[in-house]
Amino acid sequence: MSGPRLLFAVVVRSWWGSSEMPKMRFLLRLLTLALLCCLSLLWWGHFLRSHPPQRRGDLEADMKDDLPLTLDTLLHVQQLRKKTLRSFCSKTAKVTKLPTSQQQAAEVLSRIAVSTKLDFLYCQVPAIGLEIWEWLLEVLEEKADVTLEVPVRQPQQRGLQKRLSEYNLTAMEAMLRSYTKVLFIRDPFQRLISAYMQRLADGLTFKEFIQSILNRGPQNASMEWKPLVSLCRPCLIQYDYVMMFGFLNREVHHLMRRMGLPMDFHLPEFTDSQIQSTYSWLSEQLLSELSLKERRQLAHFYRWDFAAFRFSSSLLWDLPSTEGSK
């Protein structure tokens, strides 16, 4: 018999030949250790299921649909979004100062709408689900105070809101300093799908629609799918709130309370979270129609939006961008 086997046999014989009490204590310790290991594994499994791994900077993980949104959570998420935005602006050569020319300033701020009733500004972006929001603001502009009727009625006039570009340069600068500024954002790929759904009458397939956008490039892009960074100038305008599509129904309630609406006000129901669920399935179907090259070109098309807002749940998020035909 070899050395190790002989040593093992001697140890076993000596252990079994000893008294029963030490063996019982050893067995009890062994069983206790095994039980503790099982409990630890069960707890760790539960922890992993309830705390899935998050990508670094994944802001949407803090905004679960099944949890109520508290004011503290909202402010925490706002801090994260604005921190990401500030980091982006510090690393790029985007416009950070308002032009001194009235005409140039008006062009830069052409998408910024003004609510003089609530003293705030927001960027008007097509295909981002702001219809209910704009309807609400127009109702408030008609009223002498900020109270709301239930249910909220249709505004008697449309287009009551003014653009910041309609004011003179001095007023623009004053409003940018003193008004609360709100930015609404949405996954770029879902914005594209929304724009495509509205243009189905054009008779293009989704692939043809995307190819036409890529051929034009960002400089000639329609407002419906132009990158948010180009539309809303987030490095020039220091937005106080960055509101994400998919969470508007909860975020806007807190925002409007902070803007001066009474605690017992009733807002229209935002349906963006339900739309978000539908688009999650639709996005996968339409993405499958695009080649890998086209997907990478889209990622490059919206590269500034991804850097500024980290749409980590977007299907274009992890794709390395490709410019032109590279």
Side-chain angles (χ1 to χ4, degrees), residues 86-106:
R86 288 194 300 270
S87 175
F88 162 76
C89 292
S90 68
K91 298 174 183 176
T92 59
K94 298 299 180 184
V95 176
T96 58
K97 292 184 179 180
L98 190 67
T100 56
S101 162
Q102 171 76 31
Q103 182 178 355
Q104 291 178 339

Side-chain angles (χ1 to χ4, degrees), residues 160-195:
L160 293 176
Q161 297 172 66
K162 297 183 68 175
R163 296 286 181 89
L164 188 58
S165 56
E166 298 177 37
Y167 295 85
N168 61 44
L169 189 59
T170 302
M172 290 183 195
E173 293 173 340
M175 289 180 179
L176 286 172
R177 285 194 304 269
S178 60
Y179 278 28
T180 300
K181 296 162 285 292
V182 185
L183 173 62
F184 294 91
I185 62 176
R186 186 180 186 182
D187 171 9
F189 192 56
Q190 291 195 2
R191 283 184 62 208
L192 281 174
I193 295 174
S194 178

Side-chain angles (χ1 to χ4, degrees), residues 71 146-148 150 253-267:
L71 180 59
V146 295
T147 59
L148 287 177
V150 182
H253 281 71
H254 283 292
L255 173 64
M256 298 307 286
R257 285 184 179 180
R258 291 177 69 85
M259 297 307 301
L261 267 69
M263 294 296 291
D264 59 348
F265 76 94
H266 295 273
L267 283 177

